[in-house]
Amino acid sequence: MERKEKLIENKNIDIDEFKLKTFHITSPYFKLLFENNIRKITLDKYTGKRAVITYEVHIDSKSSNPLGIVHGGAIGTLFESLTDLTIYYLGNTRYRTQDIAINYKSHVDLNSTILVKLNIHKINYPTTFINAELIKDGEVCSSASIIKTKLEPKF
């Protein structure tokens, strides 16, 4: 008999609790750009193997490129780091990025609030697959396809 996974939907996650549990594993660059800019975290759906989570993030001038809009590298860091933090928060497991492909569809203005939606497949499996979207005013401005592999503990 197959075990049925517990379903969680539309759960708001306490940001301070999230930071306390996860921020020790993230990069200094992510902390510099976004540590105080996460406004809301909603676990839209979680089954134990799959998760959909939405972050509301304020983008300030620290993420600027020379044109005065959000730098593509900051968007990549946001996708990759939020994925790492989410997987660690949900499964207490660390992964490394095997592949990331980002599509930049339109620019994002500085001093704006955006949503980052992550759809994570196969949490706690050797390989995890993520589809990510950066959304501003209902429009997908960037999207990413990410593959992560589980880090094996060092003894």
Side-chain angles (χ1 to χ4, degrees):
M1 187 165 109
E2 191 173 318
R3 191 177 83 164
K4 193 168 185 166
E5 295 290 335
K6 182 175 151 184
L7 176 65
I8 299 171
E9 292 184 300
N10 300 315
K11 176 185 176 192
N12 288 323
I13 295 173
D14 181 87
I15 293 170
D16 291 328
E17 173 194 326
F18 182 82
K19 286 181 182 180
L20 186 64
K21 182 173 180 181
T22 63
F23 267 48
H24 67 282
I25 69 160
T26 195
S27 73
Y29 184 62
F30 175 81
K31 288 180 186 176
L32 172 72
L33 295 180
F34 303 112
E35 181 171 19
N36 297 313
N37 292 353
I38 297 173
R39 303 288 190 246
K40 184 177 180 183
I41 306 170
T42 306
L43 186 57
D44 302 312
K45 187 173 186 179
Y46 178 58
T47 65
K49 294 179 183 176
R50 293 190 60 188
V52 178
I53 191 164
T54 304
Y55 292 86
E56 183 179 300
V57 181
H58 179 74
I59 304 293
D60 62 23
S61 61
K62 290 182 282 193
S63 300
S64 179
N65 73 8
L67 300 175
I69 57 176
V70 177
H71 192 286
I75 292 170
T77 297
L78 193 59
F79 282 146
E80 188 171 16
S81 295
L82 287 178
T83 298
D84 287 339
L85 296 174
T86 301
I87 293 169
Y88 189 79
Y89 180 80
L90 295 174
N92 208 29
T93 306
R94 294 187 69 177
Y95 286 77
R96 69 172 180 83
T97 301
Q98 182 176 326
D99 187 55
I100 183 169
I102 302 172
N103 295 306
Y104 300 98
K105 298 173 181 165
S106 61
H107 76 276
V108 178
D109 294 320
L110 296 174
N111 297 314
S112 59
T113 300
I114 53 97
L115 299 176
V116 176
K117 185 175 223 70
L118 304 176
N119 194 332
I120 304 170
H121 308 269
K122 295 193 172 184
I123 296 170
N124 287 321
Y125 280 68
T127 304
T128 298
F129 304 90
I130 302 96
N131 295 313
E133 294 180 327
L134 185 150
I135 303 163
K136 182 172 183 315
D137 299 328
E139 175 190 353
V140 176
C141 299
S142 298
S143 61
S145 177
I146 306 165
I147 300 172
K148 295 217 173 247
T149 53
K150 191 182 276 191
L151 288 173
E152 297 301 325
K154 294 180 181 179
F155 296 100

